[in-house]
């Protein structure tokens, strides 16, 4: 049981986890370095806790005390009660969802850890857009992908916007970094996975590639715009494409991922 | 050939089409009422012109005169040259893409018009999010859907953000409003279409519904969050679901649309 502490000064060091949340560049560096991430809103906070993340502290306005009552009753983390204006002053935006939590990151598993026992994995290269990344995790969870592997230059799945867009799926779908890139793809292949690169220039239609019959499949997707790099394409076993209407060059990477995740599980 | 006119006053009535572009509520009312929409950036402007929309005027900064030279040479519409600061003052945001065009709307076709000769159509209910709407049009174009039908409360596909997210697909995929809703769905059925409602509570797996074998299929999708309304579900011929992993309640509507568009064309 934590007793809410009223805080009235934006410079209070107890609020430092929540400062400048709109400064993407700052937060992108700071959060992994300090081993924290921010969960925003009641649902996301509950999902993070359910997934076993430890809460460092919570920041909320009075109207959320009731809604979060059971969470407050069960935590030892400090709970900071602030006026809405102070919340905005600290974070830099109007906190619609009323409650924020600073959560402690867990050590990231290795690629070998997440591949163990997996049959269907996504491999993402250069996904720097947090909204796309979150959407892909959400689809991965819904469509039964076992894990996500990220190239070193992919964005952080625990960044606030990615967490929100994923509806908390970043907490439930195991993920790991593949480093060095793309050389460590060899370890994915060695674990028994066929590496399928999704690309509009793919030789084979995804519909006829029969990917759903593969015992283990790794679906490689590249960044919005450029797609997979030549070196990533070269490291793949097959290049497959989603059949598209005449004259259209590409799908949004989130749409392509959803179709690929569906097709690899259902043919 | 239009001779660029330098404009230096934000209150100049010749710039009135471009005022307050960030005021979503204002623009949402104003643009259809005045029969215009805004195309943003070189690619989108070119696609709008290629799709046969008439340009009312253009607003650009000096560095875009060269890039847009051929467009300027071929148009009789006035071309307004402004400093970047003035563009920001008029529109309310920093115009990264350098060129804006005010385009004239065409009369919207009727549902009967767009159904004529079509085999695969999407029916959207209550889609108020411009980003989701644009993404769905982009997927519809890429995956070979013939038309989109919109309930009266769907957002405007020609709103700036929807146009941008669609990558111009709102210009190439025919669309119409279905009004009254949902009674006018009877006309879709009368045109030979099987009405398939996509819903997590659907009785039948989309994978086994064999929708790709239907001569004419209309895929009904509801808004993010609530999904299709009970009255829309009641008007459908079949309720189908995309198979999802245990414990996950829904996909993002853009992801669901992409999968459904793919599956209805490829099984």
């Amino acid at each position: 049981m934590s007793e809410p502490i009223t805080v009235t000064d934006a410079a209070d060091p107890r609020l430092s986890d929540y400062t400048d949340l709109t400064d993407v560049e700052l937060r992108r560096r700071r959060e992994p370095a300090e081993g924290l991430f921010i969960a925003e809103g009641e649902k996301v906070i509950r999902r993070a806790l359910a997934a076993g993340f430890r809460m460092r502290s919570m920041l909320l306005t009075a109207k959320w005390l009731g809604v979060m009552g059971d969470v407050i009753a069960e935590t030892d983390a400090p709970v900071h009660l602030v006026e809405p204006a102070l919340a905005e002053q600290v974070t830099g935006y109007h906190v619609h969802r009323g409650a924020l939590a600073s959560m402690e990151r867990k050590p990231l598993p290795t690629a070998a850890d997440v591949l163990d026992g997996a049959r269907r994995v996504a491999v993402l290269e250069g996904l720097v857009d947090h909204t796309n990344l979150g959407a892909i995790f959400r689809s991965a969870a819904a469509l039964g992908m076992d894990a996500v592997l990220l190239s070193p230059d992919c964005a952080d799945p625990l960044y606030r916007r990615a967490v929100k867009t994923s509806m908390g799926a970043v907490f439930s779908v195991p993920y790991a970094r593949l480093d060095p890139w793309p050389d460590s793809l060899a370890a994915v292949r060695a674990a028994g996975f066929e590496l399928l690169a999704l690309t509009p220039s793919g030789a084979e239609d995804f519909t006829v590639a029969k990917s759903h019959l593969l015992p283990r499949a790794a679906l490689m997707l590249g960044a919005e715009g450029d797609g997979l790099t030549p070196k990533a394409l070269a490291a793949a076993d097959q290049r497959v494409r989603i059949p598209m209407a005449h004259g259209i060059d590409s799908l949004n990477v989130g749409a392509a991922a959803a179709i690929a995740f569906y097709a690899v599980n259902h043919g």
Side-chain angles (χ1 to χ4, degrees), chain A:
Chain A
M1 173 72 200
S2 185
E3 193 63 47
I5 309 154
T6 300
V7 180
T8 55
D9 178 5
D12 192 308
R14 291 173 295 187
L15 305 187
S16 72
D17 280 4
Y18 306 95
T19 53
D20 301 320
L21 291 185
T22 56
D23 186 336
V24 180
E25 277 315 312
L26 169 71
R27 297 298 308 199
R28 191 179 271 165
R29 285 194 309 275
R30 206 192 132 183
E31 293 183 12
E34 299 185 11
L36 65 88
F37 70 93
I38 300 295
E40 180 181 32
E42 184 203 351
K43 274 192 189 174
V44 169
I45 293 171
R46 290 187 188 279
R47 285 178 187 175
L49 290 168
F53 288 95
R54 197 184 73 80
M55 190 149 70
R56 287 161 62 109
S57 71
M58 195 152 49
L59 176 84
L60 41 69
T61 54
K63 66 181 274 201
W64 288 86
L65 278 175
V67 175
M68 301 303 281
D70 59 318
V71 174
I72 295 169
E74 284 166 29
T75 188
D76 293 323
V79 174
H80 302 113
L81 186 62
V82 299
E83 293 291 331
L86 186 66
E88 182 163 350
Q89 197 185 338
V90 170
T91 63
Y93 73 111
H94 179 68
V95 184
H96 294 283
R97 286 162 192 261
L100 292 169
S102 172
M103 310 294 297
E104 193 167 293
R105 288 174 185 249
K106 301 181 196 171
L108 216 55
T110 65
D113 288 340
V114 303
L115 288 171
D116 186 31
R119 294 182 58 250
R120 299 286 177 252
V121 301
V123 178
L124 308 181
E125 183 190 35
L127 257 287
V128 294
D129 182 287
H130 291 111
T131 303
N132 282 337
L133 190 66
I136 291 172
F137 268 87
R138 184 176 173 191
S139 291
L143 298 164
M145 300 298 286
D146 299 313
V148 175
L149 297 169
L150 304 167
S151 71
D153 57 347
C154 278
D156 175 12
L158 293 180
Y159 186 75
R160 183 167 57 100
R161 183 184 293 275
V163 170
K164 188 174 156 188
T165 313
S166 82
M167 306 279 281
V170 291
F171 305 144
S172 56
V173 178
Y175 67 89
R177 296 275 171 183
L178 277 178
D179 197 5
W181 179 264
D183 292 350
S184 52
L185 284 170
V188 182
R189 185 182 293 109
F193 286 81
E194 178 92 354
L195 297 168
L196 302 177
L198 270 287
T199 169
S201 65
E204 190 150 29
D205 254 12
F206 204 30
T207 42
V208 297
K210 306 253 179 248
S211 62
H212 60 293
L213 301 178
L214 293 168
R216 289 187 184 79
L219 299 178
M220 298 167 61
L221 290 147
E224 183 76 34
D226 294 333
L228 290 164
T229 60
K231 63 184 181 181
L233 287 170
D237 295 314
Q238 290 186 52
R239 300 181 190 192
V240 292
R241 63 185 160 82
I242 294 167
M244 274 183 262
H246 183 68
I248 308 287
D249 48 358
S250 78
L251 282 161
N252 166 279
V253 66
I259 294 169
F261 297 166
Y262 171 82
V264 80
N265 284 303
H266 303 288

mmCIF file of all heavy atoms in Angstrom, chain A residues 86-113:
data_model
loop_
_atom_site.group_PDB
_atom_site.id
_atom_site.type_symbol
_atom_site.label_atom_id
_atom_site.label_comp_id
_atom_site.label_asym_id
_atom_site.label_seq_id
_atom_site.Cartn_x
_atom_site.Cartn_y
_atom_site.Cartn_z
ATOM 1 N N LEU A 86 0.178 21.052 -13.263
ATOM 2 C CA LEU A 86 1.553 20.659 -12.939
ATOM 3 C C LEU A 86 1.980 19.452 -13.786
ATOM 4 O O LEU A 86 3.112 19.386 -14.263
ATOM 5 C CB LEU A 86 1.679 20.343 -11.444
ATOM 6 C CG LEU A 86 3.115 20.070 -10.964
ATOM 7 C CD1 LEU A 86 3.979 21.311 -11.066
ATOM 8 C CD2 LEU A 86 3.117 19.541 -9.533
ATOM 9 N N ALA A 87 1.057 18.523 -13.982
ATOM 10 C CA ALA A 87 1.356 17.366 -14.842
ATOM 11 C C ALA A 87 1.770 17.840 -16.235
ATOM 12 O O ALA A 87 2.740 17.343 -16.820
ATOM 13 C CB ALA A 87 0.138 16.444 -14.942
ATOM 14 N N GLU A 88 1.044 18.823 -16.742
ATOM 15 C CA GLU A 88 1.357 19.347 -18.071
ATOM 16 C C GLU A 88 2.706 20.076 -18.065
ATOM 17 O O GLU A 88 3.492 19.948 -19.004
ATOM 18 C CB GLU A 88 0.236 20.292 -18.534
ATOM 19 C CG GLU A 88 0.471 20.847 -19.927
ATOM 20 C CD GLU A 88 -0.794 21.438 -20.551
ATOM 21 O OE1 GLU A 88 -1.896 21.254 -19.993
ATOM 22 O OE2 GLU A 88 -0.647 22.074 -21.614
ATOM 23 N N GLN A 89 2.955 20.811 -16.982
ATOM 24 C CA GLN A 89 4.206 21.556 -16.891
ATOM 25 C C GLN A 89 5.410 20.608 -16.865
ATOM 26 O O GLN A 89 6.424 20.849 -17.522
ATOM 27 C CB GLN A 89 4.165 22.390 -15.606
ATOM 28 C CG GLN A 89 5.184 23.526 -15.554
ATOM 29 C CD GLN A 89 5.153 24.213 -14.181
ATOM 30 O OE1 GLN A 89 4.149 24.129 -13.449
ATOM 31 N NE2 GLN A 89 6.243 24.876 -13.836
ATOM 32 N N VAL A 90 5.281 19.513 -16.145
ATOM 33 C CA VAL A 90 6.383 18.559 -16.026
ATOM 34 C C VAL A 90 6.591 17.802 -17.334
ATOM 35 O O VAL A 90 7.697 17.728 -17.862
ATOM 36 C CB VAL A 90 6.112 17.553 -14.883
ATOM 37 C CG1 VAL A 90 7.136 16.413 -14.900
ATOM 38 C CG2 VAL A 90 6.114 18.275 -13.543
ATOM 39 N N THR A 91 5.505 17.258 -17.873
ATOM 40 C CA THR A 91 5.636 16.362 -19.031
ATOM 41 C C THR A 91 5.729 17.107 -20.356
ATOM 42 O O THR A 91 6.289 16.601 -21.320
ATOM 43 C CB THR A 91 4.407 15.427 -19.139
ATOM 44 O OG1 THR A 91 3.236 16.244 -19.356
ATOM 45 C CG2 THR A 91 4.234 14.608 -17.877
ATOM 46 N N GLY A 92 5.141 18.294 -20.422
ATOM 47 C CA GLY A 92 5.157 19.057 -21.665
ATOM 48 C C GLY A 92 3.907 18.861 -22.503
ATOM 49 O O GLY A 92 3.805 19.384 -23.600
ATOM 50 N N TYR A 93 2.955 18.080 -22.027
ATOM 51 C CA TYR A 93 1.713 17.917 -22.785
ATOM 52 C C TYR A 93 0.548 17.737 -21.825
ATOM 53 O O TYR A 93 0.736 17.445 -20.639
ATOM 54 C CB TYR A 93 1.819 16.737 -23.773
ATOM 55 C CG TYR A 93 1.794 15.363 -23.155
ATOM 56 C CD1 TYR A 93 0.710 14.511 -23.347
ATOM 57 C CD2 TYR A 93 2.866 14.912 -22.393
ATOM 58 C CE1 TYR A 93 0.693 13.242 -22.781
ATOM 59 C CE2 TYR A 93 2.845 13.644 -21.834
ATOM 60 C CZ TYR A 93 1.768 12.822 -22.029
ATOM 61 O OH TYR A 93 1.743 11.579 -21.466
ATOM 62 N N HIS A 94 -0.648 17.899 -22.361
ATOM 63 C CA HIS A 94 -1.836 17.729 -21.552
ATOM 64 C C HIS A 94 -2.102 16.236 -21.391
ATOM 65 O O HIS A 94 -2.357 15.528 -22.360
ATOM 66 C CB HIS A 94 -3.038 18.413 -22.225
ATOM 67 C CG HIS A 94 -4.304 18.245 -21.460
ATOM 68 N ND1 HIS A 94 -4.513 18.834 -20.238
ATOM 69 C CD2 HIS A 94 -5.419 17.529 -21.727
ATOM 70 C CE1 HIS A 94 -5.707 18.494 -19.783
ATOM 71 N NE2 HIS A 94 -6.278 17.708 -20.669
ATOM 72 N N VAL A 95 -1.987 15.759 -20.140
ATOM 73 C CA VAL A 95 -2.087 14.315 -19.894
ATOM 74 C C VAL A 95 -3.559 13.894 -19.830
ATOM 75 O O VAL A 95 -4.172 13.870 -18.777
ATOM 76 C CB VAL A 95 -1.340 13.942 -18.590
ATOM 77 C CG1 VAL A 95 -1.371 12.432 -18.388
ATOM 78 C CG2 VAL A 95 0.096 14.439 -18.627
ATOM 79 N N HIS A 96 -4.115 13.585 -21.012
ATOM 80 C CA HIS A 96 -5.523 13.182 -21.102
ATOM 81 C C HIS A 96 -5.819 11.956 -20.268
ATOM 82 O O HIS A 96 -6.867 11.831 -19.662
ATOM 83 C CB HIS A 96 -5.888 12.798 -22.542
ATOM 84 C CG HIS A 96 -5.841 13.924 -23.495
ATOM 85 N ND1 HIS A 96 -6.823 14.869 -23.568
ATOM 86 C CD2 HIS A 96 -4.912 14.269 -24.427
ATOM 87 C CE1 HIS A 96 -6.507 15.743 -24.511
ATOM 88 N NE2 HIS A 96 -5.363 15.404 -25.036
ATOM 89 N N ARG A 97 -4.884 11.020 -20.311
ATOM 90 C CA ARG A 97 -5.174 9.714 -19.717
ATOM 91 C C ARG A 97 -4.950 9.688 -18.211
ATOM 92 O O ARG A 97 -5.061 8.656 -17.583
ATOM 93 C CB ARG A 97 -4.365 8.638 -20.428
ATOM 94 C CG ARG A 97 -4.939 8.369 -21.797
ATOM 95 C CD ARG A 97 -3.962 7.642 -22.719
ATOM 96 N NE ARG A 97 -4.441 7.664 -24.079
ATOM 97 C CZ ARG A 97 -5.084 6.646 -24.663
ATOM 98 N NH1 ARG A 97 -5.297 5.543 -24.007
ATOM 99 N NH2 ARG A 97 -5.504 6.761 -25.904
ATOM 100 N N GLY A 98 -4.591 10.820 -17.651
ATOM 101 C CA GLY A 98 -4.669 11.010 -16.206
ATOM 102 C C GLY A 98 -3.612 10.351 -15.350
ATOM 103 O O GLY A 98 -3.281 10.859 -14.295
ATOM 104 N N ALA A 99 -3.115 9.210 -15.780
ATOM 105 C CA ALA A 99 -2.149 8.496 -14.954
ATOM 106 C C ALA A 99 -0.937 8.094 -15.789
ATOM 107 O O ALA A 99 -1.070 7.650 -16.920
ATOM 108 C CB ALA A 99 -2.790 7.253 -14.344
ATOM 109 N N LEU A 100 0.231 8.289 -15.195
ATOM 110 C CA LEU A 100 1.479 7.867 -15.830
ATOM 111 C C LEU A 100 2.238 7.017 -14.828
ATOM 112 O O LEU A 100 2.169 7.269 -13.617
ATOM 113 C CB LEU A 100 2.345 9.085 -16.177
ATOM 114 C CG LEU A 100 1.845 10.032 -17.265
ATOM 115 C CD1 LEU A 100 2.698 11.305 -17.272
ATOM 116 C CD2 LEU A 100 1.914 9.349 -18.625
ATOM 117 N N ALA A 101 2.939 6.029 -15.321
ATOM 118 C CA ALA A 101 3.793 5.249 -14.422
ATOM 119 C C ALA A 101 5.185 5.152 -15.019
ATOM 120 O O ALA A 101 5.334 5.020 -16.240
ATOM 121 C CB ALA A 101 3.216 3.853 -14.199
ATOM 122 N N SER A 102 6.161 5.252 -14.178
ATOM 123 C CA SER A 102 7.530 4.986 -14.601
ATOM 124 C C SER A 102 7.822 3.540 -14.229
ATOM 125 O O SER A 102 7.678 3.143 -13.063
ATOM 126 C CB SER A 102 8.491 5.931 -13.877
ATOM 127 O OG SER A 102 9.820 5.548 -14.160
ATOM 128 N N MET A 103 8.173 2.761 -15.223
ATOM 129 C CA MET A 103 8.360 1.321 -15.009
ATOM 130 C C MET A 103 9.831 0.959 -15.218
ATOM 131 O O MET A 103 10.547 1.590 -15.990
ATOM 132 C CB MET A 103 7.521 0.519 -16.009
ATOM 133 C CG MET A 103 6.052 0.921 -16.117
ATOM 134 S SD MET A 103 5.064 0.604 -14.632
ATOM 135 C CE MET A 103 5.179 -1.189 -14.515
ATOM 136 N N GLU A 104 10.244 -0.096 -14.567
ATOM 137 C CA GLU A 104 11.632 -0.548 -14.690
ATOM 138 C C GLU A 104 11.749 -1.548 -15.836
ATOM 139 O O GLU A 104 10.964 -2.494 -15.923
ATOM 140 C CB GLU A 104 12.042 -1.210 -13.369
ATOM 141 C CG GLU A 104 13.516 -1.449 -13.241
ATOM 142 C CD GLU A 104 13.863 -1.795 -11.794
ATOM 143 O OE1 GLU A 104 13.715 -0.899 -10.934
ATOM 144 O OE2 GLU A 104 14.220 -2.948 -11.540
ATOM 145 N N ARG A 105 12.711 -1.327 -16.705
ATOM 146 C CA ARG A 105 12.929 -2.294 -17.788
ATOM 147 C C ARG A 105 13.463 -3.605 -17.236
ATOM 148 O O ARG A 105 14.105 -3.625 -16.196
ATOM 149 C CB ARG A 105 13.962 -1.730 -18.787
ATOM 150 C CG ARG A 105 13.400 -0.607 -19.604
ATOM 151 C CD ARG A 105 14.449 0.041 -20.480
ATOM 152 N NE ARG A 105 13.819 1.184 -21.113
ATOM 153 C CZ ARG A 105 13.531 1.272 -22.414
ATOM 154 N NH1 ARG A 105 13.882 0.319 -23.245
ATOM 155 N NH2 ARG A 105 12.922 2.327 -22.894
ATOM 156 N N LYS A 106 13.194 -4.679 -17.996
ATOM 157 C CA LYS A 106 13.811 -5.969 -17.663
ATOM 158 C C LYS A 106 14.995 -6.156 -18.612
ATOM 159 O O LYS A 106 15.025 -5.566 -19.691
ATOM 160 C CB LYS A 106 12.817 -7.104 -17.908
ATOM 161 C CG LYS A 106 11.525 -7.019 -17.127
ATOM 162 C CD LYS A 106 10.678 -8.247 -17.493
ATOM 163 C CE LYS A 106 9.228 -8.092 -17.095
ATOM 164 N NZ LYS A 106 8.380 -9.168 -17.642
ATOM 165 N N PRO A 107 15.954 -7.001 -18.225
ATOM 166 C CA PRO A 107 17.048 -7.291 -19.159
ATOM 167 C C PRO A 107 16.452 -7.887 -20.439
ATOM 168 O O PRO A 107 15.542 -8.718 -20.375
ATOM 169 C CB PRO A 107 17.903 -8.320 -18.433
ATOM 170 C CG PRO A 107 17.463 -8.281 -17.000
ATOM 171 C CD PRO A 107 16.051 -7.787 -16.987
ATOM 172 N N LEU A 108 16.944 -7.438 -21.588
ATOM 173 C CA LEU A 108 16.429 -7.938 -22.869
ATOM 174 C C LEU A 108 16.928 -9.372 -23.066
ATOM 175 O O LEU A 108 18.104 -9.656 -22.858
ATOM 176 C CB LEU A 108 16.934 -7.028 -23.984
ATOM 177 C CG LEU A 108 16.014 -6.765 -25.155
ATOM 178 C CD1 LEU A 108 14.665 -6.230 -24.712
ATOM 179 C CD2 LEU A 108 16.675 -5.781 -26.115
ATOM 180 N N PRO A 109 16.039 -10.281 -23.487
ATOM 181 C CA PRO A 109 16.525 -11.634 -23.781
ATOM 182 C C PRO A 109 17.422 -11.626 -25.021
ATOM 183 O O PRO A 109 17.423 -10.669 -25.791
ATOM 184 C CB PRO A 109 15.234 -12.419 -24.046
ATOM 185 C CG PRO A 109 14.208 -11.398 -24.413
ATOM 186 C CD PRO A 109 14.598 -10.122 -23.729
ATOM 187 N N THR A 110 18.162 -12.683 -25.211
ATOM 188 C CA THR A 110 18.954 -12.811 -26.436
ATOM 189 C C THR A 110 18.062 -13.358 -27.550
ATOM 190 O O THR A 110 16.973 -13.885 -27.290
ATOM 191 C CB THR A 110 20.120 -13.800 -26.240
ATOM 192 O OG1 THR A 110 19.543 -15.099 -26.004
ATOM 193 C CG2 THR A 110 20.988 -13.399 -25.054
ATOM 194 N N ALA A 111 18.558 -13.239 -28.780
ATOM 195 C CA ALA A 111 17.815 -13.801 -29.912
ATOM 196 C C ALA A 111 17.623 -15.301 -29.710
ATOM 197 O O ALA A 111 16.542 -15.846 -29.979
ATOM 198 C CB ALA A 111 18.550 -13.506 -31.214
ATOM 199 N N ALA A 112 18.650 -15.969 -29.227
ATOM 200 C CA ALA A 112 18.543 -17.420 -29.005
ATOM 201 C C ALA A 112 17.430 -17.733 -27.995
ATOM 202 O O ALA A 112 16.677 -18.696 -28.173
ATOM 203 C CB ALA A 112 19.882 -17.975 -28.506
ATOM 204 N N ASP A 113 17.320 -16.907 -26.973
ATOM 205 C CA ASP A 113 16.251 -17.098 -25.970
ATOM 206 C C ASP A 113 14.865 -17.058 -26.626
ATOM 207 O O ASP A 113 14.026 -17.915 -26.374
ATOM 208 C CB ASP A 113 16.286 -15.977 -24.914
ATOM 209 C CG ASP A 113 17.470 -16.098 -23.963
ATOM 210 O OD1 ASP A 113 18.032 -17.198 -23.847
ATOM 211 O OD2 ASP A 113 17.834 -15.060 -23.363
#
